[in-house]
Amino acid sequence: MSRLWFRIEDVLPLAEHALASPTHRLTAGQIAAGELNGPALSLSRSGERAQIRSNGVPIWHTYDGDEQIAFSASWRRTPAASPDRERVQHLYMPLGSSTAAERRLIDVLRGARHLERNWLAIDTPVWPGAALNAIHLQSFDHRIDIAPPDARWRPVMVSSRQVRNQSYPALVADDSSTNAGGLICRFDPSTARRIADDLTGRWRMGSMPGEYPLLRFDGDIAALLEERDTGSGEIALDLDERCHPDRDGYYSIGAHRWFWTADTWTPMPRRARMRLHLTALAGRLRTRTATHLPPREEPAALNEPPF
């Protein structure tokens, strides 16, 4: 079972709510783990999708009257299969620690925010009857798993509102999409830098702060930035996430953050199509080779006779 990915900006407020609440409700995960009542998060998982709630009372509601929930940024298979009948897993995530030597979950979340690590990865396999503590969580400044390990990639011209509906050649996961139904894309280095150039210029003077993101490179790392009006006549830049090049040197710009769609009207340049095809083929052969490699034989012990 793959790990789950959440945004720190969605999970940390729920943790702070649980800590600030005077009382706490009993959850299914707490009963299964046999934990004492206290400030905690409740995680419910079904397949690749999951939700996190605060156990604090009074319950935190949105303006629409719904409970405040952090949803995982997961992929889904396309076309949609039969209704998901996977067992729902309920886990209890205490924000404190049972011993002084253990890290507190709330400290992990606060530290991730302070270090601008905006992605939270959670491994849910735990022993039966155990709680999900800090050792099962990791924070990252970029998302590592953007698609299933067995995803097949194909060249497609893609576009997004975040790039003013301009089109770019990309490798797209053929059998997967984001939770919102958007494409999962990877861009070669030259295209990624062209996106960064296209998102700057005088045209931004006619846009509102935060209407379009910024993409800037620091060496070979791309940083996605969001403008924010401070209210004092200045514009601040907040780091949304970083994009590191993958094994092929490609960038997953805006993966699970921007809504990418296919542009069927714009033809893809021939050189770009050939380059993307070769990259997809190389990745497919690499995966197939790794799957079919024979098991490595261990060397004989030194005390064994040579005959």
Side-chain angles (χ1 to χ4, degrees):
M1 184 177 289
S2 60
R3 54 186 168 183
L4 301 170
W5 290 88
F6 290 87
R7 295 287 293 181
I8 290 291
E9 63 194 22
D10 298 331
V11 178
L12 181 56
L14 293 173
E16 299 289 2
H17 170 265
L19 284 173
S21 298
T23 58
H24 305 89
R25 54 181 167 172
L26 194 64
T27 63
Q30 178 184 350
I31 296 175
E35 292 281 337
L36 298 176
N37 201 9
L41 299 175
S42 175
L43 185 146
S44 301
R45 174 170 190 166
S46 177
E48 301 298 337
R49 302 184 183 184
Q51 303 173 0
I52 290 180
R53 295 175 170 85
S54 164
N55 73 340
V57 178
I59 298 175
W60 183 9
H61 291 91
T62 65
Y63 289 111
D64 297 327
D66 301 321
E67 184 179 358
Q68 191 76 32
I69 299 175
F71 295 93
S72 63
S74 57
W75 59 71
R76 64 183 184 184
R77 297 287 186 173
T78 54
S82 57
D84 190 7
R85 297 181 180 178
E86 296 194 50
R87 180 178 62 89
V88 178
Q89 185 182 21
H90 297 283
L91 295 168
Y92 185 69
M93 303 169 62
L95 294 172
S97 60
S98 57
T99 64
E102 294 181 359
R103 291 188 305 165
R104 297 193 308 165
L105 177 57
I106 185 60
D107 293 333
V108 173
L109 298 176
R110 289 171 176 169
R113 166 68 78 176
H114 177 72
L115 296 174
E116 294 185 328
R117 296 178 177 177
N118 295 330
W119 283 104
L120 180 69
I122 303 178
D123 290 313
T124 60
V126 296
W127 289 103
L132 194 67
N133 52 33
I135 65 174
H136 299 95
L137 282 74
Q138 287 182 286
S139 61
F140 296 91
D141 65 354
H142 67 291
R143 175 161 178 163
I144 300 174
D145 308 321
I146 66 167
D150 59 347
R152 296 174 65 91
W153 301 88
R154 61 186 176 90
V156 177
M157 291 295 292
V158 299
S159 181
S160 174
R161 185 199 67 81
Q162 280 81 1
V163 293
R164 295 195 303 159
N165 298 317
Q166 297 193 65
S167 299
Y168 302 95
L171 281 177
V172 170
D174 194 26
D175 57 351
S176 305
S177 65
T178 65
N179 265 344
L183 299 178
I184 302 176
C185 307
R186 297 163 56 209
F187 301 90
D188 61 46
S190 61
T191 302
R193 292 186 180 274
R194 183 155 64 91
I195 294 175
D197 292 338
D198 291 344
L199 284 175
T200 58
R202 294 184 177 180
W203 64 268
R204 295 189 68 93
M205 298 178 62
S207 63
M208 297 293 292
E211 185 177 0
Y212 295 101
L214 283 168
L215 180 63
R216 293 179 178 173
F217 276 85
D218 182 10
D220 63 344
I221 299 176
L224 275 67
L225 306 173
E226 295 286 344
E227 293 180 330
R228 175 171 51 87
D229 191 344
T230 61
S232 60
E234 298 181 354
I235 303 299
L237 291 178
D238 297 325
L239 177 65
D240 187 65
E241 72 168 316
R242 295 181 178 90
C243 292
H244 294 241
D246 60 17
R247 188 172 182 177
D248 296 314
Y250 280 44
Y251 293 86
S252 53
I253 303 296
H256 298 272
R257 298 293 291 162
W258 300 358
F259 190 83
W260 291 102
T261 58
D263 181 3
T264 58
W265 297 96
T266 304
M268 183 178 296
R270 184 175 301 178
R271 287 188 178 181
R273 181 176 295 276
M274 180 65 68
R275 181 172 59 251
L276 296 175
H277 265 304
L278 292 176
T279 302
L281 179 60
R284 198 174 307 166
L285 292 175
R286 185 170 58 236
T287 302
R288 184 175 301 177
T289 302
T291 304
H292 292 84
L293 279 177
R296 182 178 180 180
E297 295 184 3
E298 295 294 334
L302 296 178
N303 57 354
E304 290 184 359
F307 51 84

